Amino acid sequence: MSDRESMEFDVLIVGAGPAGLAAAIRLKQVSPDSTVCVVEKGSEVGAHILSGAVLEPRALDELIPDWRDDPPALATPAGEDSFLYLTETKAYKLPTPPQMHNHGNYIVSLGNVCRWLGAKAEALGVEIYPGFAASETIIEDGQVRGVVAGVMGITKEGEEGPNYQPGMELRATYTLFAEGCRGSLTKKLAERYNLREGAQPQTYGLGIKELWEIPKEKHTAGKVWHSVGWPLKSDTYGGAWLYMFGENLVSIGFVVGLDYPNTWLSPFDEFQRFKTHPEVRKMLEGGKRVAYGARALNEGGFQSIPKLVFPGGALIGDTAGFLNVPKIKGTHTAMKSGMLAAEAIAAALAGGEPPAVLESYPAALKASWVWPELEGVRNIRPGFAKWGLWGGMLNAAAETYLFRGKAPWTLAHHADHSATKPAGQCPKIVYPKPDGVLTFDRLSSVFLSNTNHEEDQPAHLKLRDPDLWKPVNWDQYRAPESRYCPAGVYEAVGVEEGQPRLVINAQNCVHCKTCDIKDPRQNIDWCTPEGAGGPNYIGGM
């Protein structure tokens, strides 16, 4: 558009998460004269970063070897590991799988890690623009040339409002997309450049997290606690974590694989129910919940990694899917992917050649420690999808101890939405009412995420075909979006009157992307909202 200003850079990075910031830092380390810009849709660096994180520092040690001399706030060395199987009233300690051993790791606020990395990047000369949502990719002559960011003031009717700002064209020789799980621009790039050709379908989990302050006498700094089993049935993949860090902080969370079959299941309510287990209750009693958030995560692993490069750019971090699911960690692999992409770009810029496909980046990734790490655990997550909890655990043991990651086969994934069964084929689940002390409702939870969207902006949650909702989502599945959304965005109203219709409360959205993944007909499209909208997670998240 003619009314847009334009800025030119050598490298543009979309997303100020661990991968994007690691890429920016590495670029300035190896190519100090290059111009590097990072755009971030959150109101500040770290505002949209959610993780109950135990950080493996391998990539950070390579990027900033002396980081322990000036660590991020709240970084706590990991201590005692526990892995338990829960029944409704009992907890049975299991051997901790080797991938889950955490000696040498750190419990961190990943948001604080990103704020810390952002400061390091800016000190090197990286330009970081928070509150700039990248809403469109600039493609010219088949090549990515940058993004349009910072568009504001479009009304719900799609017109230019009184506060309209046309945004800015941020152009670059190379553009790295580090949008995190289910990136909105990455989705379109995958279609445009056929990036998923030859890859298994990506599969996802929904992680829901709370931050608690507990009495100091109950707090053991460095405690790492994981569980499987109750309250989930054996046909549903998932588990829980509880990490103690700082002086009295507890990160507690719950992950449910989005390939669960029962349309009546509510991941949010399963998490609330989990906290009532006697072993969990005794750790939280006397404490106070201070923050809440939710985020989808890529669980497909090795066989779901797409093509990583296209003319003028590349995918890095969790937008490509480098999470090590059995290890429950992906920050180290995400950062390493960003570092390797940065090195490939620096070499290309030094060569002075016209922009081309960065084939040296995927080659370097395959030669790095990331590739064998993910390849070695590739069959563990799909084993749970194929055989359930007990068969999955047996398969995981065989993959780990018998085949040692070198089984002569690779198990396949299926798209999560295809696993959902119609309502008539599923037993209903009745969840207890929240007590407001240990368990809570969605709206009070969203309040603690500090989520905000300007009310006059267009809804960023759209139905591709509104006419599908009644015959499919309601008649067949009884509005599963009203249960799988952890923020109360979707409501089926008019049910008692016999005229059900869908109401979308887009202002509640915490940007978890679950609706974009789990809708039975893939009819919900999560689009980029205006910059700075969404959650504003506090420093402990």
Side-chain angles (χ1 to χ4, degrees):
M1 292 179 61
S2 60
D3 56 350
R4 285 186 180 133
E5 295 183 9
S6 177
M7 296 178 68
E8 295 275 353
F9 301 92
D10 292 320
V11 185
L12 175 66
I13 300 170
V14 182
L21 293 170
I25 291 170
R26 178 60 98 208
L27 271 161
K28 296 299 284 188
Q29 288 174 338
V30 299
S31 181
D33 295 331
S34 60
T35 55
V36 182
C37 175
V38 180
V39 292
E40 165 58 38
K41 65 183 174 66
S43 61
E44 65 172 357
V45 173
H48 287 179
I49 298 294
L50 176 73
S51 173
V54 174
L55 173 68
E56 180 177 313
R58 185 171 186 176
L60 187 55
D61 287 338
E62 296 178 10
L63 183 67
I64 307 174
D66 61 351
W67 71 270
R68 291 172 182 81
D69 296 336
D70 174 30
L74 298 176
T76 301
E80 172 192 358
D81 278 302
S82 296
F83 181 52
L84 300 99
Y85 169 72
L86 303 184
T87 66
E88 189 169 354
T89 59
K90 302 291 185 182
Y92 298 95
K93 192 164 186 177
L94 302 174
T96 301
Q99 299 97 338
M100 294 171 64
H101 290 166
N102 284 296
H103 178 73
N105 295 336
Y106 292 81
I107 303 172
V108 298
S109 158
L110 198 58
N112 280 346
V113 170
C114 289
R115 293 177 181 95
W116 180 85
L117 286 171
K120 299 288 186 186
E122 288 183 317
L124 292 171
V126 176
E127 295 185 41
I128 301 179
Y129 298 146
F132 264 55
S135 56
E136 178 186 342
T137 302
I138 300 170
I139 300 177
E140 296 172 350
D141 299 325
Q143 181 150 328
V144 171
R145 298 288 187 179
V147 302
V148 176
V151 179
M152 303 284 282
I154 300 293
T155 68
K156 292 181 178 180
E157 291 72 32
E159 300 173 351
E160 297 177 5
N163 299 317
Y164 171 68
Q165 298 177 26
M168 181 174 290
E169 291 188 354
L170 299 167
R171 292 175 166 268
T173 306
Y174 290 102
T175 305
L176 293 177
F177 291 83
E179 295 184 284
C181 181
R182 197 75 167 192
S184 53
L185 297 185
T186 300
K187 283 191 305 180
K188 297 175 182 178
L189 288 168
E191 294 176 4
R192 172 68 182 257
Y193 295 106
N194 201 18
L195 300 181
R196 298 216 59 82
E197 181 183 21
Q200 288 286 315
Q202 185 59 264
T203 189
Y204 302 86
L206 171 60
I208 304 174
K209 173 186 173 181
E210 293 175 352
L211 184 69
W212 283 66
E213 294 176 346
I214 64 170
K216 289 187 178 182
E217 61 269 18
K218 290 189 173 184
H219 191 268
T220 304
K223 183 180 181 68
V224 176
W225 192 97
H226 293 102
S227 72
V228 295
W230 189 87
L232 296 178
K233 302 293 186 183
S234 62
D235 64 351
T236 299
Y237 180 80
W241 79 80
L242 188 148
Y243 306 146
M244 296 187 181
F245 64 115
E247 293 187 357
N248 66 337
L249 295 175
V250 176
S251 165
I252 182 170
F254 200 77
V255 176
V256 178
L258 289 178
D259 57 348
Y260 64 82
N262 189 337
T263 189
W264 299 105
L265 187 143
S266 162
F268 175 88
D269 291 300
E270 295 292 345
F271 174 38
Q272 299 305 314
R273 186 160 62 162
F274 158 75
K275 290 184 293 179
T276 67
H277 191 279
E279 288 297 313
V280 182
R281 180 188 293 270
K282 71 182 183 182
M283 288 187 277
L284 296 181
E285 277 183 335
K288 177 184 177 182
R289 187 177 74 148
V290 295
Y292 168 84
R295 192 72 171 90
L297 54 149
N298 291 314
E299 292 188 343
F302 182 78
Q303 53 268 58
S304 297
I305 297 173
K307 297 176 184 177
L308 299 172
V309 294
F310 41 86
L315 307 180
I316 60 174
D318 206 33
T319 210
F322 295 121
L323 178 71
N324 183 327
V325 176
K327 189 179 278 191
I328 322 178
K329 294 174 185 65
T331 302
H332 64 303
T333 48
M335 290 180 66
K336 183 64 174 177
S337 72
M339 294 156 62
L340 292 171
E343 291 166 4
I345 289 176
L349 292 173
E353 299 294 328
V357 177
L358 292 165
E359 295 293 357
S360 61
Y361 160 48
L365 193 69
K366 291 176 182 178
S368 75
W369 48 262
V370 172
W371 211 251
E373 177 176 323
L374 296 181
E375 186 176 23
V377 298
R378 69 193 183 281
N379 288 327
I380 293 181
R381 172 63 179 93
F384 286 92
K386 188 175 181 67
W387 295 300
L389 175 62
W390 299 112
M393 290 182 72
L394 287 173
N395 172 70
E399 288 283 340
T400 301
Y401 297 106
L402 180 60
F403 297 110
R404 299 184 181 277
K406 299 185 182 299
W409 55 78
T410 296
L411 298 179
H413 293 301
H414 57 262
D416 292 329
H417 69 276
S418 67
T420 312
K421 294 180 179 179
Q425 299 178 19
C426 303
K428 284 191 175 182
I429 303 174
V430 178
Y431 293 103
K433 292 183 178 180
D435 60 20
V437 178
L438 190 67
T439 59
F440 304 90
D441 61 23
R442 281 174 171 81
L443 293 184
S444 66
S445 300
V446 172
F447 177 78
L448 288 179
S449 71
N450 300 308
T451 293
N452 180 64
H453 297 88
E454 294 295 333
E455 291 187 3
D456 59 352
Q457 69 175 270
H460 63 282
L461 302 163
K462 302 175 182 179
L463 298 184
R464 292 184 171 93
D465 182 357
D467 292 336
L468 275 183
W469 183 82
K470 172 66 169 58
V472 176
N473 291 53
W474 178 255
D475 291 348
Q476 297 182 36
Y477 298 95
R478 282 300 186 267
E481 62 280 351
S482 66
R483 294 178 290 276
Y484 62 60
C485 174
V489 169
Y490 300 95
E491 288 184 278
V493 300
V495 174
E496 294 182 359
E497 296 79 10
Q499 296 180 326
R501 59 187 177 86
L502 180 66
V503 171
I504 300 178
N505 304 303
Q507 69 275 12
N508 288 358
C509 179
V510 295
H511 297 197
C512 75
K513 313 289 184 67
T514 302
C515 56
D516 199 285
I517 298 164
K518 187 63 172 172
D519 184 77
R521 291 285 182 87
Q522 297 287 272
N523 193 34
I524 298 175
D525 187 22
W526 193 100
C527 305
T528 308
E530 288 187 356
N536 283 279
Y537 295 131
I538 63 175
M541 293 298 276

mmCIF file of all heavy atoms in Angstrom, residues 389-417:
data_model
loop_
_atom_site.group_PDB
_atom_site.id
_atom_site.type_symbol
_atom_site.label_atom_id
_atom_site.label_comp_id
_atom_site.label_asym_id
_atom_site.label_seq_id
_atom_site.Cartn_x
_atom_site.Cartn_y
_atom_site.Cartn_z
ATOM 1 N N LEU A 389 -2.221 -45.511 27.549
ATOM 2 C CA LEU A 389 -1.235 -45.247 28.599
ATOM 3 C C LEU A 389 -0.317 -46.423 28.845
ATOM 4 O O LEU A 389 0.916 -46.286 28.807
ATOM 5 C CB LEU A 389 -1.951 -44.852 29.894
ATOM 6 C CG LEU A 389 -1.041 -44.657 31.116
ATOM 7 C CD1 LEU A 389 -0.049 -43.518 30.876
ATOM 8 C CD2 LEU A 389 -1.873 -44.396 32.365
ATOM 9 N N TRP A 390 -0.890 -47.598 29.102
ATOM 10 C CA TRP A 390 -0.040 -48.728 29.498
ATOM 11 C C TRP A 390 0.768 -49.268 28.333
ATOM 12 O O TRP A 390 1.971 -49.532 28.476
ATOM 13 C CB TRP A 390 -0.894 -49.818 30.142
ATOM 14 C CG TRP A 390 -1.578 -49.308 31.367
ATOM 15 C CD1 TRP A 390 -2.907 -49.094 31.560
ATOM 16 C CD2 TRP A 390 -0.925 -48.890 32.580
ATOM 17 N NE1 TRP A 390 -3.142 -48.573 32.799
ATOM 18 C CE2 TRP A 390 -1.947 -48.446 33.456
ATOM 19 C CE3 TRP A 390 0.389 -48.845 33.008
ATOM 20 C CZ2 TRP A 390 -1.675 -47.967 34.727
ATOM 21 C CZ3 TRP A 390 0.664 -48.360 34.273
ATOM 22 C CH2 TRP A 390 -0.343 -47.928 35.118
ATOM 23 N N GLY A 391 0.146 -49.401 27.166
ATOM 24 C CA GLY A 391 0.901 -49.831 25.999
ATOM 25 C C GLY A 391 1.945 -48.805 25.606
ATOM 26 O O GLY A 391 3.059 -49.148 25.190
ATOM 27 N N GLY A 392 1.595 -47.536 25.761
ATOM 28 C CA GLY A 392 2.543 -46.474 25.457
ATOM 29 C C GLY A 392 3.753 -46.497 26.373
ATOM 30 O O GLY A 392 4.889 -46.263 25.932
ATOM 31 N N MET A 393 3.520 -46.782 27.667
ATOM 32 C CA MET A 393 4.641 -46.837 28.601
ATOM 33 C C MET A 393 5.540 -48.033 28.309
ATOM 34 O O MET A 393 6.768 -47.938 28.403
ATOM 35 C CB MET A 393 4.116 -46.868 30.035
ATOM 36 C CG MET A 393 3.485 -45.547 30.465
ATOM 37 S SD MET A 393 2.894 -45.502 32.167
ATOM 38 C CE MET A 393 4.447 -45.449 33.059
ATOM 39 N N LEU A 394 4.943 -49.155 27.942
ATOM 40 C CA LEU A 394 5.750 -50.325 27.561
ATOM 41 C C LEU A 394 6.564 -50.021 26.304
ATOM 42 O O LEU A 394 7.753 -50.375 26.214
ATOM 43 C CB LEU A 394 4.846 -51.539 27.338
ATOM 44 C CG LEU A 394 4.246 -52.180 28.590
ATOM 45 C CD1 LEU A 394 3.232 -53.253 28.195
ATOM 46 C CD2 LEU A 394 5.355 -52.790 29.460
ATOM 47 N N ASN A 395 5.927 -49.386 25.334
ATOM 48 C CA ASN A 395 6.644 -49.014 24.110
ATOM 49 C C ASN A 395 7.778 -48.043 24.417
ATOM 50 O O ASN A 395 8.884 -48.163 23.868
ATOM 51 C CB ASN A 395 5.664 -48.381 23.123
ATOM 52 C CG ASN A 395 6.360 -47.803 21.903
ATOM 53 O OD1 ASN A 395 6.881 -48.530 21.066
ATOM 54 N ND2 ASN A 395 6.378 -46.474 21.808
ATOM 55 N N ALA A 396 7.516 -47.062 25.298
ATOM 56 C CA ALA A 396 8.550 -46.091 25.652
ATOM 57 C C ALA A 396 9.738 -46.786 26.309
ATOM 58 O O ALA A 396 10.904 -46.444 26.034
ATOM 59 C CB ALA A 396 7.971 -45.027 26.578
ATOM 60 N N ALA A 397 9.452 -47.773 27.175
ATOM 61 C CA ALA A 397 10.534 -48.514 27.825
ATOM 62 C C ALA A 397 11.344 -49.295 26.792
ATOM 63 O O ALA A 397 12.584 -49.321 26.842
ATOM 64 C CB ALA A 397 9.965 -49.447 28.884
ATOM 65 N N ALA A 398 10.642 -49.923 25.834
ATOM 66 C CA ALA A 398 11.348 -50.687 24.802
ATOM 67 C C ALA A 398 12.189 -49.769 23.921
ATOM 68 O O ALA A 398 13.348 -50.082 23.599
ATOM 69 C CB ALA A 398 10.344 -51.462 23.952
ATOM 70 N N GLU A 399 11.627 -48.621 23.539
ATOM 71 C CA GLU A 399 12.358 -47.673 22.707
ATOM 72 C C GLU A 399 13.599 -47.146 23.426
ATOM 73 O O GLU A 399 14.644 -46.932 22.812
ATOM 74 C CB GLU A 399 11.443 -46.497 22.317
ATOM 75 C CG GLU A 399 10.373 -46.842 21.311
ATOM 76 C CD GLU A 399 10.912 -46.944 19.900
ATOM 77 O OE1 GLU A 399 11.997 -46.396 19.628
ATOM 78 O OE2 GLU A 399 10.250 -47.587 19.064
ATOM 79 N N THR A 400 13.469 -46.960 24.747
ATOM 80 C CA THR A 400 14.561 -46.357 25.512
ATOM 81 C C THR A 400 15.644 -47.361 25.859
ATOM 82 O O THR A 400 16.842 -47.090 25.659
ATOM 83 C CB THR A 400 13.998 -45.730 26.796
ATOM 84 O OG1 THR A 400 13.025 -44.730 26.445
ATOM 85 C CG2 THR A 400 15.111 -45.081 27.613
ATOM 86 N N TYR A 401 15.242 -48.513 26.361
ATOM 87 C CA TYR A 401 16.227 -49.449 26.926
ATOM 88 C C TYR A 401 16.611 -50.580 25.970
ATOM 89 O O TYR A 401 17.733 -51.088 26.025
ATOM 90 C CB TYR A 401 15.679 -50.049 28.223
ATOM 91 C CG TYR A 401 15.452 -49.029 29.305
ATOM 92 C CD1 TYR A 401 14.158 -48.618 29.651
ATOM 93 C CD2 TYR A 401 16.522 -48.439 29.978
ATOM 94 C CE1 TYR A 401 13.950 -47.664 30.640
ATOM 95 C CE2 TYR A 401 16.318 -47.491 30.962
ATOM 96 C CZ TYR A 401 15.026 -47.103 31.291
ATOM 97 O OH TYR A 401 14.832 -46.169 32.265
ATOM 98 N N LEU A 402 15.676 -50.999 25.099
ATOM 99 C CA LEU A 402 15.960 -52.110 24.188
ATOM 100 C C LEU A 402 16.521 -51.605 22.856
ATOM 101 O O LEU A 402 17.616 -52.003 22.436
ATOM 102 C CB LEU A 402 14.694 -52.926 23.954
ATOM 103 C CG LEU A 402 14.826 -54.135 23.010
ATOM 104 C CD1 LEU A 402 15.847 -55.131 23.563
ATOM 105 C CD2 LEU A 402 13.466 -54.812 22.826
ATOM 106 N N PHE A 403 15.791 -50.724 22.211
ATOM 107 C CA PHE A 403 16.224 -50.236 20.902
ATOM 108 C C PHE A 403 17.137 -49.022 20.995
ATOM 109 O O PHE A 403 17.809 -48.676 20.029
ATOM 110 C CB PHE A 403 15.002 -49.887 20.042
ATOM 111 C CG PHE A 403 14.122 -51.062 19.741
ATOM 112 C CD1 PHE A 403 12.855 -51.164 20.307
ATOM 113 C CD2 PHE A 403 14.559 -52.074 18.911
ATOM 114 C CE1 PHE A 403 12.036 -52.241 20.036
ATOM 115 C CE2 PHE A 403 13.758 -53.168 18.631
ATOM 116 C CZ PHE A 403 12.486 -53.250 19.202
ATOM 117 N N ARG A 404 17.124 -48.338 22.161
ATOM 118 C CA ARG A 404 17.970 -47.163 22.381
ATOM 119 C C ARG A 404 17.820 -46.121 21.270
ATOM 120 O O ARG A 404 18.782 -45.544 20.778
ATOM 121 C CB ARG A 404 19.427 -47.576 22.551
ATOM 122 C CG ARG A 404 19.655 -48.498 23.747
ATOM 123 C CD ARG A 404 21.106 -48.818 23.962
ATOM 124 N NE ARG A 404 21.278 -49.723 25.094
ATOM 125 C CZ ARG A 404 21.326 -49.350 26.381
ATOM 126 N NH1 ARG A 404 21.241 -48.064 26.681
ATOM 127 N NH2 ARG A 404 21.481 -50.239 27.344
ATOM 128 N N GLY A 405 16.556 -45.929 20.879
ATOM 129 C CA GLY A 405 16.245 -44.918 19.879
ATOM 130 C C GLY A 405 16.529 -45.314 18.450
ATOM 131 O O GLY A 405 16.381 -44.499 17.546
ATOM 132 N N LYS A 406 16.915 -46.569 18.215
ATOM 133 C CA LYS A 406 17.306 -46.994 16.864
ATOM 134 C C LYS A 406 16.398 -48.097 16.325
ATOM 135 O O LYS A 406 16.832 -48.964 15.562
ATOM 136 C CB LYS A 406 18.765 -47.454 16.858
ATOM 137 C CG LYS A 406 19.749 -46.352 17.273
ATOM 138 C CD LYS A 406 21.182 -46.814 17.127
ATOM 139 C CE LYS A 406 22.156 -45.734 17.586
ATOM 140 N NZ LYS A 406 22.041 -44.494 16.793
ATOM 141 N N ALA A 407 15.118 -48.100 16.725
ATOM 142 C CA ALA A 407 14.171 -49.077 16.190
ATOM 143 C C ALA A 407 14.107 -48.947 14.666
ATOM 144 O O ALA A 407 14.182 -47.836 14.131
ATOM 145 C CB ALA A 407 12.791 -48.860 16.801
ATOM 146 N N PRO A 408 13.937 -50.066 13.957
ATOM 147 C CA PRO A 408 13.942 -50.016 12.491
ATOM 148 C C PRO A 408 12.613 -49.563 11.897
ATOM 149 O O PRO A 408 12.321 -49.872 10.745
ATOM 150 C CB PRO A 408 14.268 -51.458 12.107
ATOM 151 C CG PRO A 408 13.727 -52.274 13.230
ATOM 152 C CD PRO A 408 13.903 -51.446 14.469
ATOM 153 N N TRP A 409 11.807 -48.850 12.638
ATOM 154 C CA TRP A 409 10.532 -48.349 12.144
ATOM 155 C C TRP A 409 10.278 -46.968 12.743
ATOM 156 O O TRP A 409 10.899 -46.570 13.723
ATOM 157 C CB TRP A 409 9.377 -49.290 12.513
ATOM 158 C CG TRP A 409 9.294 -49.559 13.995
ATOM 159 C CD1 TRP A 409 8.788 -48.734 14.967
ATOM 160 C CD2 TRP A 409 9.760 -50.730 14.664
ATOM 161 N NE1 TRP A 409 8.905 -49.314 16.206
ATOM 162 C CE2 TRP A 409 9.501 -50.546 16.051
ATOM 163 C CE3 TRP A 409 10.361 -51.919 14.240
ATOM 164 C CZ2 TRP A 409 9.830 -51.493 16.993
ATOM 165 C CZ3 TRP A 409 10.678 -52.875 15.191
ATOM 166 C CH2 TRP A 409 10.414 -52.662 16.542
ATOM 167 N N THR A 410 9.364 -46.276 12.116
ATOM 168 C CA THR A 410 8.927 -44.969 12.614
ATOM 169 C C THR A 410 7.411 -44.960 12.639
ATOM 170 O O THR A 410 6.763 -45.160 11.600
ATOM 171 C CB THR A 410 9.438 -43.829 11.713
ATOM 172 O OG1 THR A 410 10.872 -43.799 11.759
ATOM 173 C CG2 THR A 410 8.897 -42.479 12.173
ATOM 174 N N LEU A 411 6.845 -44.761 13.830
ATOM 175 C CA LEU A 411 5.400 -44.747 13.980
ATOM 176 C C LEU A 411 4.812 -43.458 13.404
ATOM 177 O O LEU A 411 5.452 -42.408 13.420
ATOM 178 C CB LEU A 411 5.016 -44.878 15.454
ATOM 179 C CG LEU A 411 5.460 -46.170 16.153
ATOM 180 C CD1 LEU A 411 5.034 -46.156 17.615
ATOM 181 C CD2 LEU A 411 4.897 -47.401 15.439
ATOM 182 N N ALA A 412 3.583 -43.574 12.908
ATOM 183 C CA ALA A 412 2.936 -42.447 12.244
ATOM 184 C C ALA A 412 2.048 -41.671 13.216
ATOM 185 O O ALA A 412 1.622 -42.173 14.254
ATOM 186 C CB ALA A 412 2.108 -42.944 11.062
ATOM 187 N N HIS A 413 1.774 -40.423 12.860
ATOM 188 C CA HIS A 413 0.819 -39.580 13.589
ATOM 189 C C HIS A 413 -0.474 -39.457 12.779
ATOM 190 O O HIS A 413 -0.513 -39.738 11.586
ATOM 191 C CB HIS A 413 1.377 -38.168 13.777
ATOM 192 C CG HIS A 413 2.556 -38.094 14.684
ATOM 193 N ND1 HIS A 413 2.523 -38.511 15.996
ATOM 194 C CD2 HIS A 413 3.820 -37.637 14.481
ATOM 195 C CE1 HIS A 413 3.706 -38.302 16.561
ATOM 196 N NE2 HIS A 413 4.509 -37.782 15.652
ATOM 197 N N HIS A 414 -1.522 -38.987 13.453
ATOM 198 C CA HIS A 414 -2.744 -38.588 12.761
ATOM 199 C C HIS A 414 -3.133 -37.195 13.240
ATOM 200 O O HIS A 414 -2.736 -36.764 14.320
ATOM 201 C CB HIS A 414 -3.886 -39.575 13.028
ATOM 202 C CG HIS A 414 -4.200 -39.761 14.481
ATOM 203 N ND1 HIS A 414 -3.721 -40.817 15.222
ATOM 204 C CD2 HIS A 414 -4.930 -39.012 15.343
ATOM 205 C CE1 HIS A 414 -4.143 -40.717 16.471
ATOM 206 N NE2 HIS A 414 -4.888 -39.628 16.574
ATOM 207 N N ALA A 415 -3.894 -36.490 12.436
ATOM 208 C CA ALA A 415 -4.317 -35.139 12.802
ATOM 209 C C ALA A 415 -5.229 -35.198 14.018
ATOM 210 O O ALA A 415 -6.142 -36.027 14.090
ATOM 211 C CB ALA A 415 -5.032 -34.483 11.626
ATOM 212 N N ASP A 416 -4.995 -34.318 14.981
ATOM 213 C CA ASP A 416 -5.710 -34.387 16.252
ATOM 214 C C ASP A 416 -7.226 -34.278 16.101
ATOM 215 O O ASP A 416 -7.984 -34.978 16.768
ATOM 216 C CB ASP A 416 -5.223 -33.276 17.186
ATOM 217 C CG ASP A 416 -3.784 -33.478 17.639
ATOM 218 O OD1 ASP A 416 -3.360 -34.628 17.748
ATOM 219 O OD2 ASP A 416 -3.101 -32.470 17.871
ATOM 220 N N HIS A 417 -7.680 -33.369 15.233
ATOM 221 C CA HIS A 417 -9.127 -33.159 15.125
ATOM 222 C C HIS A 417 -9.854 -34.403 14.635
ATOM 223 O O HIS A 417 -11.032 -34.594 14.935
ATOM 224 C CB HIS A 417 -9.426 -31.974 14.202
ATOM 225 C CG HIS A 417 -9.101 -32.228 12.768
ATOM 226 N ND1 HIS A 417 -7.831 -32.065 12.251
ATOM 227 C CD2 HIS A 417 -9.874 -32.640 11.732
ATOM 228 C CE1 HIS A 417 -7.842 -32.350 10.963
ATOM 229 N NE2 HIS A 417 -9.061 -32.702 10.625
#
